[in-house]
Amino acid sequence: MKAAGETTLKKPTLIILIFCCTVLLVGCSEERILERLSLPTLIGYDVNEENTEITTTAVIRQVSPEFESRIEIQSATAPTSKGTRIDTNLKTSRKLMAGQLRVILLSENLAKNGIEGALHTTMMNSEISTSVYLAVVEGDTKDLLEYQFPSIKDIGQHIFSLIDQNVDERLTVSSTVHEVSRDLYSPYKNTVIPIIKRQEESIMIKDVGLFHKGKLVGKLPSKDVFYILLARKDVEQGTLELLLPKDGFDIDDSKQELQIDKLPIAIDSLDSKRSIKIVNSDTPEFDLTIKADCRLLEIHRSVEISKMEDLKKIEEAVNKEIKKELERVIKYGQEVGSDVFGFGDYYFTHTRNPHITEEEWSEKFKNMKVNIKTDIRVLRNGVFE
């Protein structure tokens, strides 16, 4: 029995009511007509020598009512990035909306002075996704973006695709706004960002930049990216090129057109597992173990690989070379004071009552000891099996 005066909405009436509310809510949203908007896909930031003014260069896509798009480059200089946006708006006939932004470029000079300001500005803009890539430009971003590349029609989309596909191939590090801000605001871990440059009539990822407290403090060539990845996380796939010493290999001299000092080798399909253990929390001292399965993709044809013992020799040489390269890359990180490998995070979370400040960890990191053990297995050797 229902109490007196109690009413119950029937299902059809309830559905109609919900539909009407939905229509009203949608109608209250801001109307954004595509052909009335300017859509920046890439923004580059430069600073002057005195670090008092910012130059913003934007790659903007304009869409016509016929859905044909064209690309224009707009640049503005002001004391703040917001001021440059106002100046850019004054030069365009359509309102700027940053929802299609894919890449933010930072000049090398800005990176050396610190990226925290640019990152803070980006994160304050609710239109910008945290999946936007950050990259550093060797030189000024304005010079790169305004250069007339004969084979590049949309430089914004080109740079985005360049970074994105190399991240997928494990040839550079992923540096989205989310990832960079996470590392930047962590007191025990530093960030690493790709560095791009113009190479004659093309654009390439040349290096990766190592940061400390938001400032660029060092560079490593792109060929070292895989060692950074191996040291900081598990890696599912990737390709690695190595130069192995000739000692210990049976070389068929009749197949050598030229004398070689090192044996080039390529391995791929690495499925690596990384584990860290604290041996001594005072020094500190870590055991870093890298286990990986890989496939022999390419090796100099003068090396016989038809027998199992030949593959074992290759395994031993690969393990020694990867261990040596890991030691070199980690040592360089210590020299410039950039812990992009995550030793500090592990130390803080696995040491009882660490009570350690960011400055104290920086000193410990420079003097830490890392015992590296590699267990690399060659499971297949391509078309030879």
Side-chain angles (χ1 to χ4, degrees):
M1 296 292 293
K2 294 181 175 62
E6 183 181 355
T7 60
T8 304
L9 285 174
K10 294 183 179 180
K11 185 177 291 186
T13 306
L14 182 61
I15 292 174
I16 293 171
L17 181 60
I18 294 173
F19 175 77
C20 292
C21 291
T22 304
V23 170
L24 288 172
L25 288 173
V26 171
C28 293
S29 65
E30 183 182 356
E31 183 181 25
R32 297 177 179 178
I33 301 174
L34 186 60
E35 55 265 30
R36 296 181 184 176
L37 301 177
S38 294
L39 305 174
T41 58
L42 183 149
I43 293 177
Y45 292 114
D46 298 304
V47 293
N48 60 4
E49 293 183 1
E50 295 78 19
N51 200 27
T52 57
E53 286 191 323
I54 297 172
T55 297
T56 299
T57 306
V59 179
I60 302 171
R61 176 176 287 139
Q62 307 277 15
V63 180
S64 69
E66 294 77 26
F67 295 102
E68 295 178 352
S69 65
R70 64 181 180 87
I71 303 299
E72 66 177 52
I73 310 294
Q74 291 287 355
S75 182
T77 301
T80 66
S81 60
K82 186 65 175 177
T84 62
R85 178 166 180 169
I86 294 171
D87 289 347
T88 303
N89 247 320
L90 293 171
K91 298 177 184 179
T92 59
S93 59
R94 303 175 181 182
K95 182 179 180 181
L96 288 172
M97 299 297 297
Q100 294 299 310
L101 190 66
R102 294 291 178 264
V103 180
I104 295 174
L105 298 182
L106 310 169
S107 71
E108 190 172 0
N109 188 36
L110 186 150
K112 289 178 179 178
N113 282 284
I115 65 172
E116 190 169 355
L119 190 63
H120 178 69
T121 300
T122 300
M123 295 178 67
M124 286 183 65
N125 190 337
S126 59
E127 296 176 25
I128 299 177
S129 167
T130 56
S131 62
V132 169
Y133 283 122
L134 288 172
V136 173
V137 173
E138 190 175 279
D140 290 335
T141 67
K142 186 174 186 291
D143 294 340
L144 176 73
L145 297 176
E146 291 184 345
Y147 186 83
Q148 297 296 314
F149 293 94
S151 60
I152 300 175
K153 294 182 179 179
D154 184 346
I155 193 170
Q157 181 61 39
H158 178 85
I159 292 177
F160 167 74
S161 299
L162 174 72
I163 298 172
D164 194 54
Q165 71 95 3
N166 278 285
V167 168
D168 289 342
E169 294 295 326
R170 311 298 189 270
L171 298 177
T172 194
V173 292
S174 181
S175 57
T176 63
V177 169
H178 168 74
E179 291 166 323
V180 172
S181 60
R182 177 198 63 199
D183 294 343
L184 181 65
Y185 296 115
S186 168
Y188 310 112
K189 188 177 182 181
N190 299 123
T191 193
V192 55
I193 299 177
I195 299 176
I196 67 174
K197 68 169 292 187
R198 180 172 73 85
Q199 184 80 5
E200 296 180 349
E201 299 302 318
S202 63
I203 303 171
M204 68 173 294
I205 300 175
K206 182 175 180 288
D207 302 305
V208 286
L210 278 62
F211 287 73
H212 177 70
K213 291 186 176 180
K215 296 182 178 181
L216 179 66
V217 293
K219 299 179 185 178
L220 283 170
S222 291
K223 67 181 182 66
D224 289 336
V225 165
F226 205 85
Y227 300 113
I228 295 175
L229 297 178
L230 285 176
R232 75 190 308 197
K233 65 178 184 179
D234 296 345
V235 181
E236 293 181 357
Q237 294 180 343
T239 302
L240 185 62
E241 184 182 66
L242 300 168
L243 292 175
L244 305 180
K246 293 195 302 182
D247 300 341
F249 289 98
D250 295 327
I251 305 296
D252 186 350
D253 294 327
S254 66
K255 295 182 180 180
Q256 289 195 75
E257 295 83 2
L258 298 172
Q259 292 295 322
I260 54 175
D261 297 325
K262 296 278 189 177
L263 289 174
I265 180 176
I267 55 178
D268 74 347
S269 299
L270 282 92
D271 185 12
S272 73
K273 301 295 181 184
R274 157 205 185 254
S275 62
I276 298 180
K277 181 181 179 182
I278 297 177
V279 179
N280 185 330
S281 59
D282 295 327
T283 308
E285 182 178 353
F286 298 88
D287 282 347
L288 173 63
T289 302
I290 307 294
K291 293 185 177 182
D293 296 334
C294 69
R295 178 179 60 141
L296 178 59
L297 189 65
E298 185 178 341
I299 193 169
H300 197 276
R301 71 190 193 96
S302 63
V303 180
E304 297 291 342
I305 56 173
S306 58
K307 299 177 183 178
M308 183 59 67
E309 52 264 31
D310 296 325
L311 288 179
K312 290 299 180 184
K313 290 179 182 178
I314 293 171
E315 275 188 357
E316 291 176 7
V318 167
N319 274 278
K320 289 180 181 178
E321 189 66 18
I322 290 179
K323 178 181 177 182
K324 184 183 75 173
E325 293 299 296
L326 279 168
E327 290 172 342
R328 176 182 60 83
V329 169
I330 292 174
K331 183 179 179 182
Y332 178 77
Q334 291 179 272
E335 289 173 355
V336 299
S338 180
D339 181 9
V340 300
F341 315 101
F343 289 107
D345 271 352
Y346 187 88
Y347 181 86
F348 182 77
T349 56
H350 291 81
T351 303
R352 188 173 297 178
N353 300 321
H355 297 300
I356 184 171
T357 65
E358 183 176 359
E359 289 71 22
E360 289 171 339
W361 170 247
S362 294
E363 288 302 314
K364 283 184 176 291
F365 172 70
K366 291 180 180 179
N367 299 299
M368 75 174 182
K369 182 179 178 182
V370 182
N371 308 310
I372 299 175
K373 179 183 178 182
T374 59
D375 183 9
I376 312 297
R377 298 189 303 162
V378 178
L379 299 181
R380 302 182 299 278
N381 60 340
V383 298
F384 299 103
E385 287 188 346

